[in-house]
C-alpha cells in the first residue's frame, strides 16, 4: 500500500494508536481522557486561568473545552471561580485533581517507556530533534 510508505501517514498512525491505547487505560483507571489530563497538567503548572486561555493553549475548540471542563468540575478535579467578572470563570485544579493528574502522568510515562523501548537512546534523541525542528518551522509560538 502506497500510504504505508508516506512519512506523515506513519506519524498519524503512530499518534492514533498511541492515543487509543492511552485513552483506554486512562478511562479504565482514572475516568479521564487525554484532553482532561492535559487540562489538569496546564493548570498544575500555570495556575488558574480562563477557559478560553486553556482552549488556546491546547488547540482545543471552545465547545470541546467547555465539555471537558464541565466533566472535570463534575468529578471534582477542577474548581471554577467567577471572581469579580461574573461572565469569565477561572479554572483551577483541585487537590483531588492533582492526585489524578499525578496518577495520569505516571500512566503516560509507562506508556511512553513501553513504546520507546524499541528505539535506542540515540534514535529517540534523533527523532525528537527532527520532530521539534519540523514543529518549530510551522508553529512559531512554541
Amino acid at each position: 500500500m502506497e500510504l504505508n510508505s508516506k512519512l506523515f501517514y506513519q506519524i498519524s498512525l503512530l499518534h492514533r494508536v498511541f492515543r487509543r491505547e492511552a485513552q483506554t487505560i486512562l478511562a479504565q483507571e482514572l475516568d479521564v481522557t487525554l484532553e482532561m489530563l492535559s487540562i489538569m497538567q496546564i493548570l498544575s503548572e500555570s495556575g488558574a486561568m480562563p477557559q478560553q486561555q486553556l482552549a488556546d493553549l491546547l488547540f482545543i475548540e471552545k465547545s470541546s473545552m467547555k465539555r471537558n471542563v464541565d466533566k472535570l468540575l463534575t468529578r471534582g478535579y477542577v474548581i471554577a471561580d467567577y471572581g469579580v467578572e461574573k461572565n469569565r470563570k477561572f479554572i483551577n485544579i483541585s487537590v483531588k485533581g492533582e492526585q489524578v493528574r499525578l496518577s495520569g502522568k505516571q500512566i503516560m510515562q509507562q506508556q511512553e517507556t513501553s513504546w520507546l523501548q524499541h528505539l535506542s537512546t540515540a534514535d529517540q534523541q534523533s527523532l525528537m530533534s527532527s520532530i521539534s525542528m519540523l514543529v518549530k518551522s510551522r508553529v512559531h509560538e512554541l
Side-chain angles (χ1 to χ4, degrees):
M1 175 187 247
E2 184 182 342
L3 272 179
N4 288 336
S5 65
K6 301 293 183 184
L7 178 61
F8 279 94
Y9 175 77
Q10 290 296 319
I11 291 170
S12 175
L13 184 60
L14 172 81
H15 180 254
R16 285 185 302 212
V17 173
F18 180 84
R19 276 185 62 87
R20 185 178 59 217
E21 284 183 15
Q23 290 277 47
T24 300
I25 294 168
L26 289 171
Q28 289 172 345
E29 295 190 22
L30 300 174
D31 192 26
V32 296
T33 64
L34 279 169
E35 287 81 13
M36 294 163 86
L37 192 60
S38 297
I39 291 166
M40 290 187 288
Q41 183 65 39
I42 286 182
L43 293 172
S44 179
E45 292 173 2
S46 304
M49 65 181 64
Q51 240 176 237
Q52 185 58 53
Q53 186 178 355
L54 274 169
D56 293 343
L57 287 170
L58 290 170
F59 300 97
I60 296 175
E61 294 294 323
K62 185 177 178 179
S63 59
S64 181
M65 178 58 70
K66 182 179 179 348
R67 279 191 304 277
N68 281 311
V69 167
D70 288 347
K71 290 175 186 174
L72 289 167
L73 283 165
T74 300
R75 291 173 174 93
Y77 298 161
V78 299
I79 52 176
D81 180 15
Y82 289 90
V84 219
E85 299 179 46
K86 297 293 181 198
N87 63 340
R88 189 173 189 204
K89 80 177 154 187
F90 282 77
I91 309 302
N92 205 355
I93 192 165
S94 68
V95 173
K96 185 178 178 183
E98 184 61 25
Q99 293 167 343
V100 170
R101 182 194 70 82
L102 290 171
S103 295
K105 184 177 178 180
Q106 188 176 34
I107 288 169
M108 293 307 296
Q109 286 171 337
Q110 290 168 348
Q111 280 297 103
E112 288 176 19
T113 300
S114 171
W115 275 68
L116 293 174
Q117 71 181 344
H118 303 287
L119 297 176
S120 70
T121 302
D123 286 342
Q124 290 178 39
Q125 290 170 343
S126 176
L127 181 60
M128 182 62 168
S129 177
S130 297
I131 290 171
S132 293
M133 189 181 338
L134 285 172
V135 170
K136 286 178 184 174
S137 75
R138 297 294 185 182
V139 183
H140 303 289
E141 55 274 354
L142 291 181

